[in-house]
Amino acid sequence: MTERGFTPFPDRYSLARMTPALSVTHSILGQPWRWRGLEADQRDAGFEPDDLVTQLLLARGVPREAIEQHRTPTIRGFMPDPSIFRDMEVAAERLAAAVLAGEPVTIFGDYDVDGATSAALLIRLLRGLGLDPQAYIPDRLMEGYGPSGEALVKIARSGATLIVTVDCGAQAFEALDMVADEKVDVIIVDHHKCAAQLPKAFALVNPNRLDEDEGAAHGHLAAVGVAFLLGAALLRTLRARGWFADKAEPKLIELLDLVALGTVADVAQLKGLNRAFVAQGLKVMAKGGNVGLSALTRAAGLIKAPTCTDLGFALGPRINAGGRVGKADLGVRLLTTDDEAEAEAIATELNRLNEERRAIEMLVTEAAEALLAGQGNRAVALVAGDGWHPGVIGIVASRLKEKTGRPAIVIAIDADGTGKGSGRSIPGVDLGAAVLAAKDMGLLVAGGGHAMAAGLTIEAGKIDALADFLDQRLAADVARSRDDRALLLDAVLSAGGVAPALIDALEAGGPYGAGWPAPRVAAGPVRIIKCDVVGNGHVRAVVAGEDGRSIKTIAFRQADSALGLALLGAGPHRRLWLAGRAKLDTWNGARQAELHIDDAAWAD
């Protein structure tokens, strides 16, 4: 690594003015550091040099001519005409007919956050249109993922004339065949990968249909985003029929809090319309109009309006806990109730279940990591265990992916020898397509998903064959993704530059999440003044820069890693560059900046 001198500007944070010749080719974690998106000499062309938000937008791939549209993402600025999606008008017409006739409607949702928010959105919208829709959420352990034929037939025979599946159904061939003779129509609203052949539904709205044209540009939408577009199409259809001539039209925009939560929790890419959904949805959530979400916010210990990070790490996991280790319908019940006492009771129960989920997750993670340690360097980290709780395998797969830098699949095998698996992928590796291909090869009983996540059902005797198949299919993609990996930087500054004003400026380019990464800065050179291990293996340090200013830093879960050991052993005589996320610590009302360390490199 080499460095040349530069002058930090703690009060003005233009990236162009904070661009030293910082070259890190091999950090402590063994990765190069590079600028995100733009080269340094391109960063101040065509706009005011101190416009940090513009720099952040350009570095995330926004064309110069679209800067203003992305600077403040609005629904109006990104909303497509819903009719560009195949079957959207058919679905909207059928739902409108149900509203006009007062038909009994059931919303069939998945048991995760995307499914719960999608179901809650349509239930709340249909209630506002005079219907009393019912919710059906399958039990993860007893019924598994997606609509079963038995469940659809039961719903039809209970009197429903229209079923809308949300966040599931794209692969429900057998289930749709079983219910075909019943007097019920089924609309599928999904976003998971589709096969060339589609199940026999009245309508199937999914931007990831293989025959999609314009709608395919929105393949990154979560199911709740697709449900929102269906809601818009439904209101437009009813408006055209004069339905609102003598009654108030429901305000679909008030349901954006649900769209934001489902989008973030499902790790959908925060680009285009999704970013607008989350930006505006957070504003709706801050008003506290949804009684259930407000109760959950309190149960999670949040003392201010939720942020994008809170959706993914505080609220989402608690709603998921109902489907993972408790009652599958708790999430939908919470998000659709207007009774404050009921909301408090459900939120408290979800909070308790989340603690139970954490304990189970820790045990399965330890067992999975032990199995993984005995495997070779496969392209996909695939482990299976007897009796593992299927409600936590998706989270464990995420842990393994983070630890190994490879796609990971975790399979829980039940007493009958059937494995339920959940997988998480890395950028550039389409795990959902690989799982569908494995299903087509006869390796799976069922399977599907999208690029970054997938689920499957498999006979235990075929697990080794599946691992071999995935290695052969994905090895080149995984190798390419790992070779291309680098730590991407948005700014380089002195330790004193990590200040609240900088963080405020960086946050203006948000919301950040999947596909729209939070800014990362490099700070230094610094010397470590104090360093110790706290909590569950976190390395905490106070560092001082050459400008004499000090900042607090922390490296989460790094005590036993090369990074953690380097920080603990550096002492005050060695200089380092630190790379990470600048965050605000607001404990006791103070606003102090700190750095969450992702990597480090020796400065001398």
Side-chain angles (χ1 to χ4, degrees):
M1 157 176 183
T2 62
E3 50 141 322
R4 292 203 298 270
F6 68 101
T7 302
F9 293 84
D11 298 317
R12 302 180 72 190
Y13 300 104
S14 161
L15 299 194
R17 298 179 69 184
M18 294 194 300
T19 307
L22 173 64
S23 174
V24 173
T25 57
H26 195 79
S27 69
I28 288 173
L29 290 180
Q31 56 191 337
W33 295 4
R34 299 181 186 138
W35 283 111
R36 190 190 309 277
L38 300 174
E39 294 300 326
D41 60 359
Q42 297 176 314
R43 290 175 170 253
D44 59 353
F47 52 85
E48 292 299 319
D50 285 329
D51 191 345
L52 177 55
V53 175
T54 297
Q55 299 277 20
L56 294 172
L57 296 178
L58 289 172
R60 280 150 186 77
V62 176
R64 291 183 184 275
E65 62 273 16
I67 288 293
E68 293 309 314
Q69 179 190 20
H70 286 77
R71 188 184 300 276
T72 305
T74 64
I75 304 302
R76 182 184 297 274
F78 287 94
M79 183 82 168
D81 183 339
S83 63
I84 68 171
F85 297 89
R86 290 190 180 274
D87 278 5
M88 181 67 84
E89 290 301 314
V90 176
E93 290 286 349
R94 181 63 186 88
L95 268 172
V99 171
L100 294 170
E103 293 183 49
V105 177
T106 294
I107 309 299
F108 188 111
D110 187 23
Y111 38 64
D112 70 358
V113 184
D114 193 17
T117 52
S118 301
L121 184 148
L122 290 182
I123 288 170
R124 283 191 168 277
L125 179 60
L126 292 175
R127 281 181 185 170
L129 294 169
L131 295 185
D132 183 25
Q134 302 301 303
Y136 188 103
I137 309 296
D139 183 272
R140 182 189 293 264
L141 298 180
M142 302 301 295
E143 298 178 85
Y145 168 78
S148 66
E150 293 81 4
L152 295 184
V153 169
K154 181 172 72 172
I155 293 169
R157 293 180 179 176
S158 70
T161 55
L162 177 61
I163 300 172
V164 183
T165 75
V166 288
D167 196 30
C168 57
Q171 298 288 326
F173 295 96
E174 294 181 6
L176 270 294
D177 287 341
M178 286 183 63
V179 79
D181 293 333
E182 303 294 330
K183 295 180 180 180
V184 66
D185 293 326
V186 179
I187 295 172
I188 295 173
V189 179
D190 204 351
H191 70 132
H192 293 98
K193 294 283 185 180
C194 290
Q197 180 183 358
L198 299 175
K200 298 176 182 177
F202 187 89
L204 195 158
V205 183
N206 185 336
N208 288 305
R209 285 176 54 154
L210 296 183
D211 59 349
E212 263 295 356
D213 297 320
E214 294 180 76
H218 298 276
H220 60 287
L221 292 178
V224 70
V226 184
F228 182 89
L229 293 174
L230 175 58
L234 169 60
L235 293 179
R236 182 172 64 183
T237 300
L238 289 171
R239 199 179 302 125
R241 295 190 179 188
W243 178 253
F244 302 116
D246 58 353
K247 55 179 68 70
E249 180 174 335
K251 295 181 179 179
L252 188 61
I253 206 79
E254 294 180 352
L255 300 177
L256 280 174
D257 50 1
L258 297 172
V259 183
L261 176 57
T263 297
V264 173
D266 212 52
V267 201
Q269 291 193 4
L270 296 193
K271 62 181 184 180
L273 181 57
N274 275 350
R275 190 160 162 262
F277 278 153
V278 175
Q280 301 305 318
L282 287 170
K283 295 178 183 178
V284 174
M285 195 176 298
K287 297 177 181 178
N290 187 299
V291 170
L293 272 178
S294 295
L296 192 64
T297 298
R298 292 190 294 272
L302 302 178
I303 59 176
K304 58 182 181 179
T307 64
C308 193
T309 299
D310 294 329
L311 302 189
F313 293 97
L315 303 184
R318 284 168 169 79
I319 291 178
N320 259 335
R324 294 186 188 281
V325 296
K327 296 179 180 179
D329 66 347
L330 283 177
V332 171
R333 286 172 53 198
L334 177 76
L335 298 175
T336 55
T337 186
D338 292 318
D339 184 294
E340 292 188 1
E342 181 183 23
E344 291 292 340
I346 295 175
T348 300
E349 176 67 0
L350 286 174
N351 200 50
R352 184 191 68 79
L353 291 171
N354 191 51
E355 294 301 319
E356 182 180 334
R357 185 270 305 169
R358 286 178 176 173
I360 297 170
E361 174 199 332
M362 183 173 65
L363 293 174
V364 176
T365 298
E366 290 175 353
E369 289 180 345
L371 287 175
L372 195 62
Q375 294 183 358
N377 189 27
R378 285 183 174 271
V380 177
L382 190 152
V383 292
D386 293 325
W388 288 353
H389 197 299
V392 301
I393 55 177
I395 303 174
V396 176
S398 293
R399 300 285 186 222
L400 297 186
K401 180 201 73 171
E402 292 171 2
K403 184 171 184 176
T404 64
R406 294 177 281 152
I409 295 177
V410 178
I411 300 174
I413 304 173
D414 64 21
D416 296 328
T418 299
K420 294 295 179 67
S422 186
R424 299 293 184 269
S425 195
I426 59 178
V429 181
D430 192 335
L431 189 59
V435 166
L436 279 180
K439 179 185 174 185
D440 292 341
M441 292 288 291
L443 295 174
L444 304 177
V445 176
H450 46 80
M452 299 301 289
L456 57 89
T457 303
I458 188 172
E459 297 171 7
K462 294 184 178 181
I463 291 176
D464 288 342
L466 172 64
D468 291 339
F469 172 83
L470 293 174
D471 269 357
Q472 294 171 8
R473 180 182 175 93
L474 298 178
D477 290 342
V478 171
R480 189 179 307 110
S481 176
R482 300 184 79 182
D483 287 345
D484 291 344
R485 197 182 319 157
L487 197 75
L488 302 180
L489 300 176
D490 291 283
V492 178
L493 57 157
S494 69
V498 181
L502 170 73
I503 297 168
D504 291 340
L506 293 174
E507 286 301 313
Y512 299 105
W516 194 266
R520 183 183 287 113
V521 303
V526 299
R527 300 180 190 275
I528 294 180
I529 305 303
K530 179 182 177 181
C531 190
D532 58 1
V533 177
V534 296
N536 188 23
H538 311 316
V539 178
R540 177 180 60 183
V542 176
V543 304
E546 297 184 341
D547 56 2
R549 300 188 182 186
S550 64
I551 56 171
K552 296 188 299 181
T553 70
I554 189 165
F556 293 105
R557 296 184 296 275
Q558 294 291 334
D560 297 325
S561 73
L563 173 60
L565 295 174
L567 294 173
L568 290 165
H573 303 298
R574 295 207 65 180
R575 300 188 309 156
L576 303 97
W577 284 95
L578 302 178
R581 318 284 187 179
K583 298 289 185 179
L584 274 182
D585 179 4
T586 57
W587 178 253
N588 285 336
R591 295 182 84 248
Q592 294 184 326
E594 62 183 23
L595 186 68
H596 295 183
I597 303 173
D598 295 325
D599 199 359
W602 299 114
D604 48 30

